[in-house]
Amino acid sequence: MDGLLGLAATGDLDGAVLGRELGELAAAGVLKVNRVASALDDAAAAGAVSAVWQTAAAALVPLSGLDKARSGTADLMAVAARCARASGASGLPPELAAVAARGGSSRLVAAARELQAALAA
């Protein structure tokens, strides 16, 4: 976490690359999504909101393509929504828009819709 905060503070963090790697590892079952979500939520609380938005959005792309959502994916989506709203981010990746467009009311779909609304505001 300290490394992420330090890189974010200096502008040296490539959130898209970090997020993509985290997402692919989590999709493969190597990382637990809930732990990634918790660490990113802590980083956002420490002030790295924009970096967390970039990282979470990128991490969610490979996770959104799974047939069965990994436990904690809704939590990561909720972190992304909070950070998108707080940072004034824009641009919902199409893979996440597809999750928001799914039928039903699962936590994941609800969090994706919350993210979509945050980016539209």
Side-chain angles (χ1 to χ4, degrees), residues 8-105:
T10 61
D12 292 329
L13 178 69
D14 189 334
V17 171
L18 175 61
R20 188 171 44 254
E21 293 296 324
L22 290 172
E24 288 173 4
L25 289 169
V30 176
L31 293 177
K32 294 190 178 225
V33 182
N34 61 337
R35 291 185 182 160
V36 172
S38 177
L40 290 177
D41 198 31
D42 288 348
V49 176
S50 184
V52 170
W53 155 245
Q54 294 169 359
T55 304
L60 285 162
V61 170
L63 289 166
S64 66
L66 298 176
D67 291 334
K68 184 176 185 321
R70 295 269 188 249
S71 177
T73 305
D75 297 328
L76 183 57
M77 191 79 73
V79 169
R82 285 192 299 276
C83 290
R85 185 172 287 112
S87 68
S90 62
L92 184 66
E95 298 87 350
L96 305 185
V99 175
R102 290 181 192 165
S105 60

